[in-house]
Amino acid sequence: MSRQRSMEKIQASDYVSIGELARLTGCRYSTLKFYTEEGMLPFEQPEENLTRRFPREEAVARLQEIQRLKAQGLSIPEIKALLETKGFHPEEF
């Protein structure tokens, strides 16, 4: 039996894991990890050794925005700067 949650459960969930976020968005796990490390994706991590939880709707919307900006030819540093000017501060999560 698979330990993975069904897509239906993931889509109904307030919070998702990085693997579930990858399944939802079609983004590569490594890409999501990079965006997270760069402070571009909102997440909660109650304790250091616990799994990061991503607020599903916010994270999906943010990924769509990042992909849209990348498609316009912006670099990661430019996208980060834009996200920050829009009031996204990862330390708030």
Side-chain angles (χ1 to χ4, degrees):
M1 185 169 136
S2 171
R3 288 188 52 220
Q4 284 191 334
R5 295 196 296 175
S6 70
M7 191 53 86
E8 199 176 306
K9 278 206 173 101
I10 293 170
Q11 288 171 333
S13 187
D14 287 340
Y15 288 90
V16 294
S17 70
I18 193 166
E20 290 169 343
L21 192 55
R23 286 172 62 200
L24 268 179
T25 61
C27 277
R28 287 168 49 191
Y29 182 94
S30 57
T31 301
L32 296 177
K33 195 159 171 48
F34 173 74
Y35 290 159
T36 303
E37 298 301 328
E38 290 292 310
M40 296 166 71
L41 279 179
F43 69 89
E44 289 179 4
Q45 191 173 15
E47 291 173 39
E48 193 76 20
N49 59 348
L50 293 179
T51 307
R52 291 174 176 164
R53 298 166 0 126
F54 295 83
R56 181 183 51 80
E57 286 180 15
E58 250 177 293
V60 168
R62 169 129 341 243
L63 280 167
Q64 289 169 342
E65 187 171 4
I66 291 169
Q67 288 167 335
R68 184 178 58 79
L69 294 168
K70 276 181 71 176
Q72 292 175 11
L74 273 70
S75 69
I76 294 296
E78 289 169 327
I79 293 171
K80 278 177 68 173
L82 258 179
L83 295 177
E84 284 167 17
T85 58
K86 284 187 167 183
F88 173 72
H89 303 287
E91 60 276 3
E92 291 172 10
F93 288 92

